[in-house]
Amino acid sequence: MTPEQLNKRLRKALYWLALLGVAGCSGVVMIASAAYLYLAPLLPAAETYRDVQLETPLRIYTADGLLIDEIGNRRDPVEFDDIPQVLIDALIATEDARFYSHPGVDFQSLIRGFYGFIRGVNLGGGSTITMQLANNLSFDSDNVYLRKFKEIPFALQIQRELTKEEILTLYLNTIYFGAGADGIGAAAFVYYGKKPAELTLAEAAMMVSLLPCPSSCNPLSNPTRSIERRRTRLKNMVREGMIDEQEFARADAEPVTATRHNRNIEINAPYVAEMVRQQLYEQHGEATYTQGFEVVTTIESRHQLEANSALIDGLEDYYDRRHGYRGPAASLAPLPNEDAEALRARWLEALAPVPTYGNQQPAVVTSVQPRSFTALLSDGEEVSVGWDGIGWAYAFRSRNEAWPPPQVASDAVAVGDLIRLRERDTGWELGQVPEIQGALVSMRPSNGELLALVGGYDFRRSQVNRVLTPRPPGSNFKPFVYGAALEDGYTAATLINDAPLTRGDYRPNNFENNFLGPVTLRFALKESRNVPAVRLYDQLGSAKVFSFAKKFGLPVENFPRNDLTVGLGSSDVQPLEIVTAYSSFANGGFKVEPHFIREVSNLDGVQYTAQPLEACEGCAAARILDARVAYILNTLLRSVIVEGSGARVQREIGRNDLMGKTGTTNGPQELWFSGFNRDIATTVFVGFDTPEPLGEREQGATVSVPIWIDYMKAALEGTPENSMSRPNGLEDRLINKLTGEPAVPGSPDAVFEVFRSENAPSAPARPAPGSTLGADNEEAAATETIF
């Protein structure tokens, strides 16, 4: 081929390449123009994003001012002049080295990144600080492809509307740094307790290292990894000539000094916090978390602390331990040829993600001796567990059997077992996380304020709030049957037959599997006899019982109408509904509404103040029960405490102002106790989340009663006795406590009973002063003078 022919072909090829290039560029321009014309109306206007608003999280407090929880992110916007140069340099060196030279989109980097993608090689991303800002400010609801498609024109728009300094400021004010901190103003405080201008080079580099993974690689959760990430940011600054090697070395050598500076949670009440959050969110939506709402609850910190301890300790001690040891969660036995250092590292790695629940800390058994063992905790401490902490660990066989007892420590544990330990005042002991659950709720009967609420064993393990979960209350419902009877004209001395009863296929039985014949209402309720309760419910009819129970707020609309088991508490009721109803017994018959928020305020001031109705004569609360009926019902529930199924309360607390009732359902599957004085009413529920038998030996008196005692003993410490005052219109009569018939002074089994005047039997009134009563009469007089 001649040189002329070669030149001709070359010119022709260049011509076609140029033509294709022009066409290609024109096509790109046309596509870009069309895309921009399509997307321009969808892009946010500058006034919608230029100004960043202060965001303050929701804070929830006890009635006495202690912090329960802080929900939401902080944002404390700063000006450009408040941002240190070292932070700007660390950001630019890491995220966008050509920040000052591109128009918001670095096409060179985009092409390089696309080329690397085609080749399967990571040549770096093409996203600029401005494009990241565009993504942060909008498009949250878009799919990933549409969001990326919008980033470029929006970044170009931002570049036209804002200066580089404004872009940097807006970016650093809106990016999330983890630990609930939106923006550098909040992040500098949360991690270092500083203003941004006070950050050191090492701290600034650490802040920038958070941006790709603020939750998983921050210095609070992973200090080791954060040091490596900080080093990379410092090297980027060296590469860009922003710092020298000496500055790098000094900053790289600095230890991790970040600690959480959020406001410290002072009272553990997560179930209360979640109730508050839900209520505010229903009213204010997403603004709940950003507008500085502060909620003062009705919760008393001292009562809440005691409630936490009573329920957590009680589920562990009064139920779980008594049913035996279920064994380790896993085995991490030493591997062949594994040296001690590698084994310890493996154990610590396995422990790291395992949370502490309740009192139960995770640990790995490191050595076993005949009557003791040592174990490694997640913080690296090694502790010893003696026989006093092992001997309880009978082998779990079923809910009804734990056998055999351990003879040596190796009967319970082996080296490498992943176990739980509990630290008591007397030392460490082998433990386990209970499978059982429960709830405790405590109320002020005078106005319905919640004083303490624990919705489960540990909120981190289960967020189900069992205070609000309906379950069958068992005999906790019986006072509403007896109350309906008293309102209908029955008396505490009325006889009800404790004898076999058949209604169709239903044949109720007593817990003791026997029948006693005619018994008084007082005796039947005191001893929680089932058959008399069903017979009484049958005599009254569901309409009268439901009408009575509805006044107290129980959800009788959900109860079956022709089911005698309702009289024994077979229909579901929330513990909150039960404690509210019992509060009306405690206050003498007034309706109260349960509430847990006392005041709500935000940056604009107080938005809500509770105005509960006070329960007393002449006050605003509505009377729902004749005071005389309420008083007699109180005396019946006092008998339960003095000599009935709740007698442990009297033995261990020893006050004369406590009344209550146990509750046990078939199985038994649910265990209850509700009790009160005039100042505090408290309900305790215990059961599995999926109902199943708890063990044939269990009843309300074995688990719920001691939990209630532990709480109420502490809650009432130092307070005077206080119970319902005796109203007018009542009369005392001497009766035979077995037959309910009028009695004369000195006769066997004679006791005083209290009646409404219109229902009092015609019989001699109480003996004149100085008369001699038998021992039983003295006991009756003591009972009568309690109120």
mmCIF file of all heavy atoms in Angstrom, residues 469-489:
data_model
loop_
_atom_site.group_PDB
_atom_site.id
_atom_site.type_symbol
_atom_site.label_atom_id
_atom_site.label_comp_id
_atom_site.label_asym_id
_atom_site.label_seq_id
_atom_site.Cartn_x
_atom_site.Cartn_y
_atom_site.Cartn_z
ATOM 1 N N THR A 469 -50.897 -7.808 78.598
ATOM 2 C CA THR A 469 -51.257 -9.033 77.885
ATOM 3 C C THR A 469 -52.359 -9.771 78.639
ATOM 4 O O THR A 469 -52.164 -10.181 79.784
ATOM 5 C CB THR A 469 -50.032 -9.955 77.750
ATOM 6 O OG1 THR A 469 -48.988 -9.250 77.074
ATOM 7 C CG2 THR A 469 -50.386 -11.203 76.973
ATOM 8 N N PRO A 470 -53.537 -9.956 78.032
ATOM 9 C CA PRO A 470 -54.631 -10.634 78.746
ATOM 10 C C PRO A 470 -54.328 -12.110 78.978
ATOM 11 O O PRO A 470 -53.870 -12.812 78.076
ATOM 12 C CB PRO A 470 -55.823 -10.467 77.789
ATOM 13 C CG PRO A 470 -55.442 -9.347 76.863
ATOM 14 C CD PRO A 470 -53.957 -9.444 76.716
ATOM 15 N N ARG A 471 -54.577 -12.557 80.208
ATOM 16 C CA ARG A 471 -54.448 -13.968 80.589
ATOM 17 C C ARG A 471 -55.554 -14.305 81.594
ATOM 18 O O ARG A 471 -56.038 -13.418 82.312
ATOM 19 C CB ARG A 471 -53.079 -14.229 81.223
ATOM 20 C CG ARG A 471 -51.894 -14.012 80.302
ATOM 21 C CD ARG A 471 -51.787 -15.066 79.216
ATOM 22 N NE ARG A 471 -51.397 -16.364 79.720
ATOM 23 C CZ ARG A 471 -50.136 -16.802 79.765
ATOM 24 N NH1 ARG A 471 -49.137 -16.033 79.354
ATOM 25 N NH2 ARG A 471 -49.863 -18.020 80.204
ATOM 26 N N PRO A 472 -55.944 -15.563 81.693
ATOM 27 C CA PRO A 472 -56.968 -15.927 82.687
ATOM 28 C C PRO A 472 -56.478 -15.638 84.109
ATOM 29 O O PRO A 472 -55.380 -16.059 84.480
ATOM 30 C CB PRO A 472 -57.151 -17.429 82.464
ATOM 31 C CG PRO A 472 -56.658 -17.676 81.076
ATOM 32 C CD PRO A 472 -55.556 -16.717 80.854
ATOM 33 N N PRO A 473 -57.265 -14.933 84.935
ATOM 34 C CA PRO A 473 -56.807 -14.558 86.274
ATOM 35 C C PRO A 473 -57.077 -15.591 87.346
ATOM 36 O O PRO A 473 -56.661 -15.407 88.493
ATOM 37 C CB PRO A 473 -57.593 -13.280 86.558
ATOM 38 C CG PRO A 473 -58.883 -13.491 85.838
ATOM 39 C CD PRO A 473 -58.533 -14.270 84.583
ATOM 40 N N GLY A 474 -57.798 -16.671 87.012
ATOM 41 C CA GLY A 474 -58.101 -17.658 88.035
ATOM 42 C C GLY A 474 -58.858 -17.033 89.191
ATOM 43 O O GLY A 474 -59.744 -16.190 89.013
ATOM 44 N N SER A 475 -58.498 -17.424 90.399
ATOM 45 C CA SER A 475 -59.229 -16.962 91.585
ATOM 46 C C SER A 475 -59.058 -15.478 91.856
ATOM 47 O O SER A 475 -59.732 -14.943 92.737
ATOM 48 C CB SER A 475 -58.791 -17.769 92.807
ATOM 49 O OG SER A 475 -59.124 -19.132 92.650
ATOM 50 N N ASN A 476 -58.179 -14.799 91.147
ATOM 51 C CA ASN A 476 -58.111 -13.338 91.259
ATOM 52 C C ASN A 476 -59.426 -12.695 90.844
ATOM 53 O O ASN A 476 -59.688 -11.541 91.180
ATOM 54 C CB ASN A 476 -56.973 -12.808 90.374
ATOM 55 C CG ASN A 476 -55.870 -12.119 91.155
ATOM 56 O OD1 ASN A 476 -55.224 -11.195 90.678
ATOM 57 N ND2 ASN A 476 -55.664 -12.547 92.386
ATOM 58 N N PHE A 477 -60.244 -13.457 90.090
ATOM 59 C CA PHE A 477 -61.538 -12.930 89.660
ATOM 60 C C PHE A 477 -62.632 -13.157 90.702
ATOM 61 O O PHE A 477 -63.670 -12.495 90.673
ATOM 62 C CB PHE A 477 -61.951 -13.586 88.335
ATOM 63 C CG PHE A 477 -63.244 -13.076 87.765
ATOM 64 C CD1 PHE A 477 -63.319 -11.834 87.171
ATOM 65 C CD2 PHE A 477 -64.409 -13.837 87.850
ATOM 66 C CE1 PHE A 477 -64.515 -11.350 86.655
ATOM 67 C CE2 PHE A 477 -65.609 -13.376 87.342
ATOM 68 C CZ PHE A 477 -65.661 -12.125 86.734
ATOM 69 N N LYS A 478 -62.431 -14.077 91.637
ATOM 70 C CA LYS A 478 -63.489 -14.431 92.577
ATOM 71 C C LYS A 478 -64.034 -13.240 93.375
ATOM 72 O O LYS A 478 -65.240 -13.192 93.654
ATOM 73 C CB LYS A 478 -62.999 -15.515 93.538
ATOM 74 C CG LYS A 478 -62.890 -16.894 92.896
ATOM 75 C CD LYS A 478 -62.372 -17.939 93.891
ATOM 76 C CE LYS A 478 -62.222 -19.301 93.241
ATOM 77 N NZ LYS A 478 -61.616 -20.292 94.175
ATOM 78 N N PRO A 479 -63.196 -12.265 93.802
ATOM 79 C CA PRO A 479 -63.776 -11.134 94.541
ATOM 80 C C PRO A 479 -64.886 -10.407 93.793
ATOM 81 O O PRO A 479 -65.762 -9.799 94.432
ATOM 82 C CB PRO A 479 -62.566 -10.222 94.770
ATOM 83 C CG PRO A 479 -61.401 -11.154 94.818
ATOM 84 C CD PRO A 479 -61.719 -12.199 93.785
ATOM 85 N N PHE A 480 -64.892 -10.487 92.456
ATOM 86 C CA PHE A 480 -65.954 -9.814 91.704
ATOM 87 C C PHE A 480 -67.244 -10.631 91.745
ATOM 88 O O PHE A 480 -68.334 -10.061 91.678
ATOM 89 C CB PHE A 480 -65.479 -9.562 90.273
ATOM 90 C CG PHE A 480 -64.223 -8.737 90.225
ATOM 91 C CD1 PHE A 480 -62.979 -9.328 90.113
ATOM 92 C CD2 PHE A 480 -64.291 -7.361 90.373
ATOM 93 C CE1 PHE A 480 -61.822 -8.576 90.119
ATOM 94 C CE2 PHE A 480 -63.136 -6.591 90.376
ATOM 95 C CZ PHE A 480 -61.899 -7.198 90.251
ATOM 96 N N VAL A 481 -67.132 -11.944 91.878
ATOM 97 C CA VAL A 481 -68.320 -12.766 92.088
ATOM 98 C C VAL A 481 -68.876 -12.510 93.489
ATOM 99 O O VAL A 481 -70.084 -12.282 93.662
ATOM 100 C CB VAL A 481 -67.984 -14.261 91.909
ATOM 101 C CG1 VAL A 481 -69.215 -15.125 92.185
ATOM 102 C CG2 VAL A 481 -67.434 -14.528 90.512
ATOM 103 N N TYR A 482 -68.017 -12.502 94.479
ATOM 104 C CA TYR A 482 -68.459 -12.283 95.860
ATOM 105 C C TYR A 482 -68.944 -10.845 96.049
ATOM 106 O O TYR A 482 -69.900 -10.598 96.797
ATOM 107 C CB TYR A 482 -67.328 -12.620 96.835
ATOM 108 C CG TYR A 482 -67.108 -14.106 96.995
ATOM 109 C CD1 TYR A 482 -66.407 -14.829 96.032
ATOM 110 C CD2 TYR A 482 -67.611 -14.794 98.088
ATOM 111 C CE1 TYR A 482 -66.216 -16.201 96.161
ATOM 112 C CE2 TYR A 482 -67.422 -16.163 98.223
ATOM 113 C CZ TYR A 482 -66.724 -16.862 97.252
ATOM 114 O OH TYR A 482 -66.543 -18.222 97.381
ATOM 115 N N GLY A 483 -68.299 -9.905 95.382
ATOM 116 C CA GLY A 483 -68.752 -8.519 95.467
ATOM 117 C C GLY A 483 -70.128 -8.354 94.871
ATOM 118 O O GLY A 483 -70.982 -7.625 95.421
ATOM 119 N N ALA A 484 -70.385 -9.012 93.748
ATOM 120 C CA ALA A 484 -71.718 -8.953 93.142
ATOM 121 C C ALA A 484 -72.763 -9.555 94.076
ATOM 122 O O ALA A 484 -73.897 -9.067 94.170
ATOM 123 C CB ALA A 484 -71.699 -9.696 91.807
ATOM 124 N N ALA A 485 -72.380 -10.615 94.777
ATOM 125 C CA ALA A 485 -73.305 -11.238 95.723
ATOM 126 C C ALA A 485 -73.615 -10.302 96.882
ATOM 127 O O ALA A 485 -74.778 -10.159 97.287
ATOM 128 C CB ALA A 485 -72.713 -12.551 96.240
ATOM 129 N N LEU A 486 -72.588 -9.656 97.443
ATOM 130 C CA LEU A 486 -72.818 -8.714 98.543
ATOM 131 C C LEU A 486 -73.713 -7.573 98.085
ATOM 132 O O LEU A 486 -74.612 -7.131 98.819
ATOM 133 C CB LEU A 486 -71.482 -8.164 99.039
ATOM 134 C CG LEU A 486 -70.543 -9.153 99.734
ATOM 135 C CD1 LEU A 486 -69.195 -8.493 100.025
ATOM 136 C CD2 LEU A 486 -71.169 -9.684 101.026
ATOM 137 N N GLU A 487 -73.479 -7.087 96.870
ATOM 138 C CA GLU A 487 -74.306 -5.997 96.342
ATOM 139 C C GLU A 487 -75.745 -6.457 96.152
ATOM 140 O O GLU A 487 -76.689 -5.657 96.253
ATOM 141 C CB GLU A 487 -73.710 -5.520 95.020
ATOM 142 C CG GLU A 487 -74.308 -4.218 94.508
ATOM 143 C CD GLU A 487 -73.573 -3.714 93.278
ATOM 144 O OE1 GLU A 487 -73.588 -4.415 92.236
ATOM 145 O OE2 GLU A 487 -72.967 -2.631 93.342
ATOM 146 N N ASP A 488 -75.930 -7.767 95.893
ATOM 147 C CA ASP A 488 -77.260 -8.311 95.631
ATOM 148 C C ASP A 488 -77.997 -8.689 96.901
ATOM 149 O O ASP A 488 -79.118 -9.197 96.833
ATOM 150 C CB ASP A 488 -77.118 -9.544 94.728
ATOM 151 C CG ASP A 488 -78.420 -9.950 94.069
ATOM 152 O OD1 ASP A 488 -79.078 -9.071 93.469
ATOM 153 O OD2 ASP A 488 -78.794 -11.135 94.161
ATOM 154 N N GLY A 489 -77.368 -8.488 98.080
ATOM 155 C CA GLY A 489 -78.061 -8.774 99.328
ATOM 156 C C GLY A 489 -77.505 -9.934 100.117
ATOM 157 O O GLY A 489 -77.943 -10.188 101.243
#
